[in-house]
Amino acid sequence: MFASSSRGGPAPPGRGGAGGPAGKYSVDELYGLPKKNKLVRGESVRRRSQVSQGGSSGREGPTLTPAQVLEAARRLLERRRLESYLLEAGIALEELESGRTGMVYRNLGKSGLRVSCLGLGTWVTFGSQISDEMAENVLTIAYENGVNLFDTAEVYASGKAEKTLGNILKSKAWRRSSYVVTTKIYWGGQAETERGLSRKHIIEGLKGSLQRLQLEYVDIVFANRMDSNSPMEECDPNFRLLLLEEIVRAMTYVINQGMAMYWGTSRWSAMEIMEAYSVARQFNLIPPVCEQAEYHMFQRDKVETQLPELYHKIGVGAITWSPLACGLITGKYEERVPENCRASMKVYQWLEGEAAGSEEAGA
């Protein structure tokens, strides 16, 4: 996940002021020795003198050899280098040490939403490939290790993924403010009015998602791919701008109604995102906060070449999906399709062709 981070946060601990490195990271602590009782300056000097002369105080802890002192000094130097690096990157050291998990959190784009650098998606797995018990175990492990971003969509397992995720969140009774839930709207049903990005489907589709998730709101609702209608665009060149205005107005409405905190795009081109942003600014509406894009070894152009300009110009963040290219990068499809993997499922048999294509590209 890519996100901008603030450079205005507190400086990492140990960089000036009272309680600096000398107070926090003693030689004994850096080397892992037990803490000694604090001594006044004269007493400390006297005891060191006794030890150097072969005497013993009876209560003195283990003494440091020259090699141990050098090792402790090296660790202190490495720590200060790390602090300097984090300061340059705009990340406070507290972000790495405050939690028991070590998870790093960042702002999503230029928004104030703090998300974990790793998120958990429910595509294919929840509600179809794995049992509900396994899904609960996976979600629990992720949450307990600092993951606070859970992604789903109305189309995943025909809505069963949202139901499974909602049941788990309800049973766990975690604080709603402690995690982020995202869902995507586009394919909601078989009827013409149950798919696409019309105002009707955005509002009704999100209501359906909230009902399945058993939540009052989602943190981010995504427009899952741009709603293109080529016959209309051929007749009216302005059709796409009119459709974009309808989408942005509908997303602004669901946010103002408290059904979502933010909205974003998924699988949109950089030009379409920029146009949506321009429409939002023109009519005083809410612009998208992030783009969810495919990003892995075989798909790098969009995230690395097309989107960076939007990161800096309009503050759009990025959430990436399929980091392992649906498992192709793991190499498990090199000889045959393993049982119980997604490529063995009828709906995802197209992955066999993708695997063959990646092998040809590698050759």
Side-chain angles (χ1 to χ4, degrees):
M1 175 182 297
F2 295 86
S4 62
S5 59
S6 172
R7 293 181 179 269
R15 299 190 66 85
K24 281 193 174 181
Y25 318 119
S26 66
V27 173
D28 291 343
E29 290 171 337
L30 285 169
Y31 201 75
L33 297 175
K35 293 184 178 180
K36 302 175 184 179
N37 295 329
K38 292 184 178 179
L39 303 174
V40 297
R41 183 177 180 86
E43 181 72 9
S44 177
V45 172
R46 184 178 63 80
R47 290 198 176 187
R48 284 201 300 269
S49 177
Q50 290 177 352
V51 172
S52 64
Q53 295 174 7
S56 174
S57 63
R59 294 186 301 175
E60 185 67 31
T63 59
L64 294 174
T65 66
Q68 290 174 329
V69 173
L70 288 176
E71 175 66 13
R74 183 187 64 81
R75 294 190 183 187
L76 178 59
L77 180 60
E78 289 180 352
R79 185 181 183 90
R80 288 182 175 174
R81 285 176 178 171
L82 174 62
E83 292 172 353
S84 178
Y85 172 79
L86 294 175
L87 184 63
E88 290 296 325
I91 303 175
L93 188 61
E94 288 91 334
E95 293 185 16
L96 301 179
E97 297 182 335
S98 59
R100 47 195 167 83
T101 64
M103 178 64 68
V104 177
Y105 301 87
R106 295 176 180 165
N107 286 55
L108 183 57
K110 295 298 176 64
S111 74
L113 183 62
R114 299 284 286 176
V115 294
S116 54
C117 288
L118 297 177
L120 177 65
T122 61
W123 182 38
V124 184
T125 51
F126 280 39
S128 58
Q129 192 179 26
I130 62 177
S131 65
D132 291 352
E133 292 76 16
M134 177 65 71
E136 181 175 353
N137 291 337
V138 170
L139 195 73
T140 303
I141 292 173
Y143 182 81
E144 291 179 350
N145 283 274
V147 175
N148 72 350
L149 175 62
F150 307 126
D151 178 73
T152 187
E154 64 174 353
V155 70
Y156 292 171
S158 301
K160 294 180 181 178
E162 290 181 323
K163 288 182 179 179
T164 301
L165 178 60
N167 289 335
I168 296 173
L169 293 175
K170 184 177 181 180
S171 66
K172 289 297 180 181
W174 295 325
R175 297 188 316 279
R176 180 63 183 90
S177 57
S178 67
Y179 56 84
V180 174
V181 175
T182 71
T183 193
K184 293 178 282 294
I185 302 296
Y186 191 91
W187 291 281
Q190 298 299 321
E192 285 292 322
T193 55
E194 292 177 333
R195 57 178 180 266
L197 295 176
S198 66
R199 178 183 177 88
K200 175 180 176 64
H201 181 56
I202 288 175
I203 297 174
E204 293 179 345
L206 183 54
K207 286 182 178 179
S209 292
L210 293 176
Q211 187 175 20
R212 289 186 290 272
L213 288 166
Q214 304 178 64
L215 297 175
E216 294 181 0
Y217 66 91
V218 293
D219 296 273
I220 306 174
V221 54
F222 286 101
N224 195 6
R225 75 181 294 169
M226 179 58 186
D227 192 353
S228 59
N229 193 329
S230 54
M232 285 296 295
E233 288 192 34
E234 293 176 1
C235 299
D236 185 359
N238 296 321
F239 174 76
R240 187 171 67 182
L241 290 177
L242 294 173
L243 179 58
L244 277 169
E245 182 182 345
E246 180 176 352
I247 294 172
V248 177
R249 287 190 181 277
M251 291 296 187
T252 301
Y253 173 82
V254 297
I255 291 175
N256 289 337
Q257 292 297 311
M259 299 165 63
M261 296 291 188
Y262 305 88
W263 79 278
T265 59
S266 179
R267 304 171 67 183
W268 283 32
S269 69
M271 181 182 67
E272 291 166 344
I273 298 171
M274 192 68 205
E275 288 176 341
Y277 179 86
S278 300
V279 168
R281 289 299 181 229
Q282 180 181 357
F283 297 104
N284 196 28
L285 302 173
I286 300 175
V289 72
C290 63
E291 157 68 7
Q292 189 176 77
E294 183 178 7
Y295 184 52
H296 49 74
M297 185 184 298
F298 309 129
Q299 188 68 261
R300 299 173 56 186
D301 182 67
K302 180 178 180 181
V303 172
E304 296 183 6
T305 305
Q306 301 175 23
L307 294 182
E309 186 177 3
L310 300 184
Y311 302 155
H312 303 294
K313 278 190 174 180
I314 62 177
V316 168
I319 295 178
T320 59
W321 58 276
S322 193
L324 296 179
C326 298
L328 299 180
I329 294 178
T330 65
K332 63 183 179 181
Y333 298 128
E334 289 182 358
E335 298 180 358
R336 63 181 181 82
V337 177
E339 296 182 3
N340 301 323
C341 72
R342 66 182 62 187
S344 65
M345 302 171 67
K346 186 176 181 180
V347 182
Y348 299 99
Q349 288 181 349
W350 52 269
L351 282 174
E352 294 187 49
E354 293 285 336
S358 65
E359 289 177 3
E360 292 177 2

